[in-house]
Amino acid sequence: MDIRWIQNPNRCADEYLDGIEDFIEFARRHNPGATRIRCPCRRCNNTLWETIENVGFHLVRNGMIETYSIWNLHGEQLEHASSSNATRVDNVQPIVDANDEVMDIIQDVFPFASTNMNQEEQDDVPTPIDSAEFEQYEKLLKNANQELYPGCESFSVLTAIVELMHGKIKYRMSNLCFDYFLGVFKRMLPTDNCLPKDHKQAQKVLNGLGLGYEKIHACKNNCMLFYKEHESLDTCPICNESRFKMTSQNRTTKIPQKVMRYLPLKPRLQRLYMSTHTATDMRWHQEKRVDDDVMRHPADGEAWKEFDRTFPEFAADPRNVRLGLATDGFNPYGVLNQHHSTWPIFVFPYNLPPWKCMKKEYMMMTVLITEDPGRSIDVYLRPLVDELKDLWTNGVRTYDKSTGKMFTLRAAVMWTVNDFPAYAMVSGWSTKGYMACPVCKEDVTSGWHAGKVCYLGHRRWLPWDHECREKDKEFDGNTERRLRPREWSGDEILDQLNRLDFAPFGKTVSRIRPSTHMNWTHKPMFFELPYWSKLKLRHNLDVMHVEKNVFDTLVGTILDIEGKTKDTIKARLDLERMGIRRGLWMNRDNDKARRDLAFCCPDFFPN
């Protein structure tokens, strides 16, 4: 049977779709009457059972496992050299030793630990690790080779801890719950076992595998970070607020007022190339992507292609990383604290194929802010922007596990992805008021209608000969003759921002903006990146919020749901004041006003 279709990266191609149909027919023929079969997609990995229809859907969405060339789990017979009769194998599970998997993890973390410590560095020879890293490697190796208890061959100390911690994270187990079960397991095992007694000790064993973070003190009023040249200060030079809390004189350690967690980006990007599981996929966007003018990946977009044309040197090496950045606030305490919000800042690598690049396993949290920073988010972005500038200018020497060679890794942030309020924070343009549109800027069409600011100039974006431009009573009572607003380039925006004088960051600083600043609140720190002003697209709105808000508004208005409909009494009175849509005006009988239900346009619901 020809199975070359499995290797086809274009899962919309006829060859691939026909191959899926052949596989489904093969599975039906060899499993008569079965309603569920193993799913061989890359996500289920032949471990989950799905309906035959869902299996076909999964294969289109996720792709089939490329190494699954003999469909023995779906009824294909295996031929043995020692016998002419084929043996049917129904339940063959790949046998993977957990200890071997842990050793693979160690090799991914320290791919060149065995390199001679005195070896001279060359272009294609990995840089030897320093003594501290080598000490961590030896510690992990010792735990990987140490039996969990005397005579235990299936689990080492490190393997047991990795398995238990994996279950803790997968099933969202609290630290207290984990401590309880760890104590139970320790009592179940022989008395001379080496299992840690609690979560804290287990974490110490895994410190060498993980990627750490830095604690950076921040001003209580978000004025600045005690970072680099300000690291030794005890008071904020802007608001004179103390760096530390007031404690008793007997206390030896000082407690900071506010702490930001920063997770360095460089080692996390290096880990993607040190791991055998991701090193090859990091070149997918150029080596395996199908370029047929169909939008399946950010690399198919015009912004990506424009970036390649502007910076051909960066684009020449497919291993250079393209990043997206996103942030949003959430309340981790639910109803227990209504006023608190935590703001993580994530980056995600677009080099990976589309079925991986947006998965949580590959999203990297770089900054964790413990309150809503507002426009002062740039204060907390300082370490990340400094690292991004260095990654663009100098790069970082990285070991590529797929080729066994060193290369200089560079990285660039292509754009940000946020909801509309967070858009204002990272772009520097306020999304409130009469000039809230960050695209139209001062040329926006806005007015006060139905008790709120409304934006009515959307017809300007239509083609010049579009019929809706001539309709006046259906919209705001005027025909639309204006051209679309001009598009500002990044260089023009940067030149405009350089001419404005913004107040310092912080809660104690006055927020009154002069009229010359329009809706600019601050100069975004991203403009310090050498390439930021050259990008065709700098900020995106996330689809989830846009779709949900539009859907809620549409359904709430059509079904006239109280509190959610936009067809309110204020809106009806506003139509009457503007002199448009007479059929929707309020009906007044005997000194009473009545809002009749709006008629539904039959063209809106075609048969």
Side-chain angles (χ1 to χ4, degrees), residues 25 64 84 123 137 148 157 161 185 194 224 227 233 243 251 349 398 410 416-417 429 450 462 486 488 504 551 565 603:
E25 178 60 30
M64 182 180 277
S84 59
D123 289 342
Y137 169 74
L148 184 60
V157 175
I161 296 175
F185 295 151
C194 301
M224 54 162 284
Y227 168 73
L233 299 180
R243 175 177 180 174
R251 189 180 182 94
T398 303
R410 298 173 63 196
T416 69
V417 183
W429 182 273
L462 295 174
R486 61 166 294 193
W488 288 72
F551 176 81
T565 179
D603 295 335

Side-chain angles (χ1 to χ4, degrees), residues 226 300 441 455 541 553 595:
F226 294 96
D300 297 317
K441 292 186 167 51
Y455 310 93
L541 291 174
T553 300
R595 179 178 69 91

